[in-house]
């Protein structure tokens, strides 16, 4: 049964769509600006955010949605495996892509796009534990980074000026990306929270 557009569940679903779409769009823009080595990870995060937004749409994606999303995230999983050659920090991309493929597969057995459809309980439970830990750790890191920024406000302002292209070293060097790093961390936290919310509906 379709959700009423004004029900609490529908409003929450559309807020999740908005959160994931904004996060995915930001990652897409970041991928366009990133260097060659960072572009793959940013692109994978963009696919993740936009795919999550499509899956979370409360009116459904039609019968074509789950198979298309399954194909997209199977390909994204292969891409994440390729990225692992650059370091194990890309393992989260692989987990995320496999999680999306799992939810798309669970959604493929019915007319809806997966909300409220059950997967394998032990798989869903393991993923819930993983993403709960990821969100808690990511939130703690974000709060710690924000708190640590207060005593060095002058240095942060100088780095922000450099990143904006109005100071020495603008657009280059490790300091120019510090503000972007915080925003990227928040973006990943938002997508992790969205993934946790979607898994809780299974």
């Amino acid at each position: 049964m379709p959700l009423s557009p004004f029900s609490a569940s529908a409003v929450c679903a559309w807020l999740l769509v908005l959160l994931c779409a904004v996060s995915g769009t930001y990652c897409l823009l970041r991928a366009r600006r990133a260097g060659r080595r960072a572009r793959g990870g940013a692109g994978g995060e963009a696919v993740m955010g936009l795919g999550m937004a499509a899956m979370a749409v409360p009116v459904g994606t039609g019968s074509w949605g789950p198979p298309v999303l399954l194909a997209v995230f199977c390909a994204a999983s292969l891409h994440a495996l390729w990225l692992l050659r650059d370091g194990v920090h890309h393992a989260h991309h692989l987990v995320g892509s496999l999680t999306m493929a799992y939810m798309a597969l669970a959604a493929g057995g019915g007319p809806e796009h997966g909300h409220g459809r059950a997967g394998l309980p032990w798989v869903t439970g393991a993923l819930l534990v993983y993403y709960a830990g990821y969100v808690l750790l990511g939130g703690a890191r974000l709060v710690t980074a924000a708190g640590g920024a207060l005593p060095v406000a002058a240095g942060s302002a100088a780095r922000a000026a450099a990143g904006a292209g109005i100071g020495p070293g603008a657009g280059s060097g490790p300091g120019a990306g510090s503000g972007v790093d915080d925003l990227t961390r928040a973006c990943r936290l938002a997508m992790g929270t969205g993934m946790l919310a979607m898994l809780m509906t299974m």
Side-chain angles (χ1 to χ4, degrees), residues 55-160:
M55 188 175 285
V57 172
V59 296
T61 54
S63 59
W64 57 268
V68 169
L69 288 171
L70 178 60
V72 167
F73 284 104
C74 283
S77 298
L78 294 176
H79 179 250
L81 277 173
W82 175 255
L83 289 177
L84 281 176
R85 76 193 195 282
D86 292 331
V88 294
H89 60 282
H90 289 295
H92 178 69
H93 296 148
L94 178 60
V95 174
S97 297
L98 290 174
T99 302
M100 290 296 293
Y102 166 69
M103 289 194 291
L105 186 62
E112 296 293 333
H113 54 83
H115 298 301
R117 298 196 60 83
L120 298 174
W122 64 272
V123 175
T124 304
L127 291 172
L128 281 169
V129 170
Y130 173 84
Y131 277 100
Y134 179 84
V135 168
L136 289 174
L137 181 60
R141 286 177 173 172
L142 190 62
V143 170
T144 301
L150 294 177
V152 290
S156 297
R159 289 194 296 270

Side-chain angles (χ1 to χ4, degrees), residues 23 48-49 64 90 109 158 163 185:
S23 298
M48 181 72 60
W64 57 268
H90 289 295
R185 202 175 287 122

Side-chain angles (χ1 to χ4, degrees), residues 1 8 21 31 33 38 49 75 96 115 122 144 153 156-158 164 171 183-184 187-188 201:
M1 179 181 297
R33 299 191 305 264
H115 298 301
W122 64 272
T144 301
S156 297
L183 190 54
T184 299
C187 177
R188 290 170 177 165
T201 67

Side-chain angles (χ1 to χ4, degrees), residues 172-189:
S172 62
S178 60
V180 174
D181 288 344
D182 288 342
L183 190 54
T184 299
R185 202 175 287 122
C187 177
R188 290 170 177 165
L189 178 61

